[in-house]
Amino acid sequence: MNWEVRTMRSGTSFFNGTLYRKAFFRFWPIWALYGTMWLLILPLRFLAEAMRGSVRSDLTDTEYLLQMAKDIPDMLSFGVFTALVAGVVCAMAVFSYLYSSRSACMMHALPARREALFVSHYLAGLSFLLLPHLAVYALTVAVEAALGCLELVPLTTWLLTQSGVCLFFYSFAVFCAMFTGNLVALPVFYGILNFLATILVRLVETVCSTFLYGFEQFPSQVWDARAWLTPVRNLTTAVSPEYQASPGGGFTSILTGGIQSPETVAVYAAAGVVLAAAALLVYRTRHIESAGDVVAVKLVRPVFKYGFAFCTGLTGGMATCSVLLLTGSLSLTVWVLVWSLIGYFAAEMLLKKSFRVLKAWKGSVALGAVMLLLCLSVSLDWYGFENRVPAADQVESVELWGLNGAPVDDAGSKLTFTAPEDVALAIQLHQLAIQAEPEANGESSGECYTHLYFTYTLSDGRTFERAYTGLPLFESDLEQEGTLTWTANQILSDRDNAAQMYGFDQIEKGRVVDAYLDMVWNTQTQSYETVYIDGSAQELYDAVKQDFAEGTIGVRYLLEDSQERYDNTCVTDLYFVFMSQTSDDPSQPEDVPSSYEWHITLTPNASHTLALLRELGALDETHIAPTYGEYLSDTETTYDGYRNPDGSIPEDLLYDAPDTRTVS
């Protein structure tokens, strides 16, 4: 009788201690397992390492334990995953009474306000996560203090960050729980909504790339929004440990004990509070009889039905076209419509809990009309996407990717234009790419093909991107001004652009320490050699730079199979090894590269480089650098009896394993 009186008094309260305690102790295995996991990861691991002793010869036991204490934030990436799973498990447990008519009626018959029911169970589930954090924090402080390795900043960072992440994911799971009356549907909705933004962006991008010529991806603003709406990925990045540069350069271990973006964690924690408040508002108006329904709130059912149909249409349409190897906008449109209707009736079955859903055909007709209109509007480019090119006076810079050409060495494919005349030429190339007919279904119409990717930075700060693949190039157009081939060749043959592609400003941040030649033909052994040059690397690099300035090396050819390229490039490449300026720093970790290679293809016209190579003995009458045309001619003769059925030469025979020698 006394218990009933106390319960009646709680009817005007927002919290019921009895309900809280019953939920907390009824589901004790959840918080016990969660707490045990962190006990093993933090305090017990410190004790185990202290008993085992340091495994690093350069550290004492105390130094090793101090390093472990500083590295605690490194575990937060794993903590995001545990919070993702634990959040929905806790929500399923404490609000499980909503998914059975009997338990829902019994719980709501108690003399307690709905606010009290919600808050009591919400706090009970949150306690499953936060109370173990506090307990583990206190035990870890005690263990670290006893072992002489107390580091409060990293440990406090772990406590606050992990608690904030758990607050968000748990509140998000509770918010999802308010919209369904089915226990199985809750984790499904929760999982989908966690990744829905990324899935939708990928799906729509894939569909648009099929419909729209030149489309590659959405602007960065869309992807930034997608990142915030994909909390798992965004939080994993945010909780990455913060590194501090050592005084000598490079990176040391975790010195600050912090994370990359505590502000991001704070935003999500605040969002968790907002989601909890929103969940309470939904709970207050939720109908008890909705227990067992896939979607418990009637207002949300149309959103679920048509959203499910939309996602099913895009996913099923793309998957079917991929499996059946179908291309073209017509095939995709048809299959998107088919799968949208399938998704519509499947969602109707889930909502009605019945297979008799054909009476809802009117809605399917409306859905089909909308999906068809959307597909047509994109495929027919009602928005003027394909022909849109920014005006030159609105462009601050243009990044052009893909225009690489031959030979194949360390020339990159990225060019950046800021000068007005260069920007105008890039825009001209863009306009010609729009007019070009790309390669279709593997049917060749050109002598060579290129891929062009444009990224414009506009004066108002926006970016403008387009991508074109399989653009045909013709040798006959090289001298015909105004063609795609001529314009691309103008850009590629410019010496300033070639210097950009070879990246001299970047590679010269290090110092040259070594050099060698690859694919040197030995006329006596009739085989290719790798020749290592002992010393004189800097002199060789200076000779290459002198030849490059004279335009006799580093010349780019738009058409890989042109006779001009065959006659003026060698099969031999000159490699340089550079040492980074900070490579002598002993504090630099092993995963930071201390050296890097850069190579350029020799040419028969590079007089300064060839003269020095002959002086050093790397090249002589016996060891030569054949032109690419000579190499192909020898290859055609040498392997004439070893061709594939289609007449081509087996790839494993093209390059013999080279011998090696060293010259001083």
Side-chain angles (χ1 to χ4, degrees):
M1 186 64 180
N2 291 335
W3 181 83
E4 292 180 356
V5 171
R6 286 195 297 271
T7 303
M8 290 294 292
R9 289 177 178 174
S10 69
T12 58
S13 173
F14 284 89
F15 178 76
N16 188 298
T18 303
L19 293 175
Y20 172 86
R21 288 190 296 272
K22 282 187 173 293
F24 185 80
F25 289 108
R26 178 186 178 189
F27 300 106
W28 67 268
I30 296 176
W31 53 262
L33 287 173
Y34 182 76
T36 301
M37 178 194 70
W38 283 112
L39 281 174
L40 292 172
I41 293 175
L42 290 177
L44 293 181
R45 189 167 69 94
F46 274 91
L47 290 174
E49 293 291 346
M51 295 173 63
R52 185 174 62 166
S54 175
V55 296
R56 290 178 54 177
S57 58
D58 59 331
L59 295 176
T60 64
D61 291 352
T62 302
E63 289 174 338
Y64 181 65
L65 292 174
L66 280 170
Q67 189 65 56
M68 283 182 55
K70 294 177 182 178
D71 288 344
I72 284 178
D74 200 22
M75 302 172 186
L76 285 169
S77 295
F78 170 73
V80 172
F81 173 75
T82 61
L84 173 70
V85 177
V88 70
V89 170
C90 293
M92 291 172 66
V94 296
F95 288 101
S96 57
Y97 67 89
L98 293 175
Y99 307 127
S100 168
S101 297
R102 182 177 179 181
S103 59
C105 292
M106 181 190 69
M107 189 64 68
H108 288 89
L110 294 174
R113 297 174 58 182
R114 286 203 173 192
E115 291 82 355
L117 292 174
F118 176 87
V119 172
S120 301
H121 288 95
Y122 174 84
L123 292 179
L126 189 60
S127 299
F128 294 173
L129 304 172
L130 300 190
L131 292 183
H133 291 169
L134 293 173
V136 170
Y137 177 83
L139 288 173
T140 307
V141 168
V143 169
E144 287 186 0
L147 297 176
C149 60
L150 181 60
E151 290 283 347
L152 283 178
V153 172
L155 188 57
T156 304
T157 298
W158 168 83
L159 173 65
L160 297 177
T161 303
Q162 186 64 24
S163 299
V165 172
C166 285
L167 171 61
F168 170 76
F169 281 116
Y170 172 68
S171 297
F172 188 34
V174 171
F175 180 75
C176 295
M178 298 301 105
F179 290 92
T180 180
N182 189 293
L183 189 62
V184 177
L186 171 56
V188 175
F189 289 168
Y190 172 77
I192 291 175
L193 290 175
N194 264 291
F195 299 96
L196 182 61
T198 295
I199 295 171
L200 282 177
V201 170
R202 289 291 186 188
L203 283 174
V204 177
E205 272 192 349
T206 305
V207 172
C208 288
S209 64
T210 302
F211 284 145
L212 294 173
Y213 178 54
F215 180 89
E216 183 182 23
Q217 64 180 17
F218 287 124
S220 58
Q221 295 86 345
V222 175
W223 280 99
D224 291 341
R226 185 272 321 173
W228 280 100
L229 295 174
T230 310
V232 176
R233 184 172 182 177
N234 211 26
L235 281 171
T236 301
T237 302
V239 303
S240 299
E242 183 181 38
Y243 290 89
Q244 179 173 312
S246 64
F251 292 94
T252 65
S253 185
I254 303 169
L255 297 179
T256 64
I259 58 175
Q260 294 289 340
S261 181
E263 300 85 2
T264 299
V265 178
V267 169
Y268 277 104
V273 176
V274 174
L275 286 171
L280 173 58
L281 295 177
V282 176
Y283 184 82
R284 292 175 61 184
T285 59
R286 178 189 172 104
H287 296 292
I288 301 174
E289 60 272 15
S290 64
D293 293 344
V294 174
V295 179
V297 180
K298 291 184 177 181
L299 189 63
V300 182
R301 289 178 182 176
V303 177
F304 167 77
K305 180 166 60 176
Y306 290 103
F308 185 86
F310 178 79
C311 294
T312 302
L314 295 185
T315 306
M318 291 302 305
T320 303
C321 289
S322 177
V323 171
L324 299 181
L325 302 180
L326 300 174
T327 58
S329 58
L330 178 60
S331 299
L332 182 57
T333 300
V334 171
W335 283 108
V336 165
L337 289 176
V338 170
W339 280 102
S340 296
L341 296 177
I342 293 174
Y344 174 84
F345 286 109
E348 190 72 16
M349 291 176 190
L350 291 173
L351 293 175
K352 300 292 187 181
K353 292 183 285 186
S354 171
F355 293 111
R356 299 178 178 179
V357 294
L358 294 180
K359 292 182 179 180
W361 64 269
K362 293 181 181 179
S364 67
V365 172
L367 172 70
V370 171
M371 295 300 292
L372 178 61
L373 185 64
L374 286 175
C375 290
L376 289 177
S377 68
V378 179
S379 63
L380 299 178
D381 193 21
W382 291 355
Y383 316 107
F385 174 91
E386 294 181 351
N387 296 319
R388 188 178 304 141
V389 178
D393 58 356
Q394 297 176 349
V395 177
E396 286 194 354
S397 65
V398 184
E399 286 186 2
L400 173 62
W401 295 78
L403 194 62
N404 197 346
V408 181
D409 51 16
D410 268 346
S413 63
K414 176 186 176 182
L415 289 169
T416 302
F417 305 122
T418 55
E421 61 274 13
D422 294 333
V423 170
L425 193 59
I427 292 176
Q428 180 183 347
L429 182 66
H430 184 179
Q431 292 170 333
L432 292 169
I434 294 174
Q435 300 168 11
E437 289 292 334
E439 180 183 16
N441 301 323
E443 297 180 1
S444 298
S445 59
E447 294 154 358
C448 186
Y449 292 89
T450 189
H451 311 294
L452 300 178
Y453 304 89
F454 298 88
T455 301
Y456 296 87
T457 300
L458 305 182
S459 54
D460 58 3
R462 294 182 296 116
T463 58
F464 183 93
E465 299 181 3
R466 292 294 185 269
Y468 305 92
T469 59
L471 298 173
L473 302 173
F474 302 91
E475 188 170 6
S476 59
D477 288 344
L478 281 174
E479 303 301 327
Q480 187 173 347
E481 186 175 350
T483 62
L484 176 67
T485 305
W486 180 88
T487 307
N489 192 56
Q490 291 294 112
I491 294 175
L492 198 61
S493 59
D494 185 273
R495 298 306 295 165
D496 291 335
N497 294 339
Q500 266 199 70
M501 297 172 74
Y502 280 99
F504 291 110
D505 56 338
Q506 293 297 318
I507 63 172
E508 290 175 358
K509 291 181 179 179
R511 65 182 188 277
V512 184
V513 296
D514 207 353
Y516 65 92
L517 288 173
D518 186 46
M519 296 291 289
V520 175
W521 180 250
N522 188 322
T523 58
Q524 292 183 345
T525 63
Q526 293 291 296
S527 63
Y528 286 98
E529 293 182 348
T530 297
V531 181
Y532 291 92
I533 302 168
D534 188 9
S536 304
Q538 184 61 54
E539 291 81 357
L540 264 177
Y541 183 75
D542 293 339
V544 168
K545 288 296 295 291
Q546 186 175 358
D547 282 326
F548 189 90
E550 295 176 3
T552 56
I553 199 172
V555 179
R556 310 303 302 168
Y557 297 93
L558 181 64
L559 302 180
E560 181 179 357
D561 296 329
S562 66
Q563 190 62 44
E564 184 182 9
R565 182 264 167 118
Y566 289 169
D567 295 339
N568 292 284
T569 60
C570 297
V571 70
T572 307
D573 286 346
L574 176 56
Y575 282 77
F576 292 97
V577 179
F578 290 81
M579 192 71 67
S580 63
Q581 298 294 350
T582 60
S583 60
D584 296 332
D585 180 16
S587 64
Q588 183 167 301
E590 296 180 356
D591 59 347
V592 176
S594 59
S595 64
Y596 50 92
E597 287 188 349
W598 177 87
H599 73 285
I600 191 169
T601 298
L602 290 181
T603 70
N605 306 314
S607 57
H608 302 286
T609 304
L610 293 177
L612 185 55
L613 287 171
R614 294 189 182 100
E615 181 182 335
L616 295 171
L619 296 178
D620 52 31
E621 294 181 355
T622 304
H623 304 88
I624 63 173
T627 64
Y628 198 76
E630 293 170 339
Y631 164 74
L632 289 180
S633 178
D634 291 340
T635 303
E636 290 286 332
T637 303
T638 303
Y639 299 116
D640 193 53
Y642 302 92
R643 294 180 179 275
N644 293 321
D646 62 356
S648 63
I649 300 170
E651 187 175 351
D652 57 344
L653 297 181
L654 283 175
Y655 293 95
D656 297 326
D659 299 325
T660 61
R661 65 188 180 93
T662 303
V663 297
S664 300

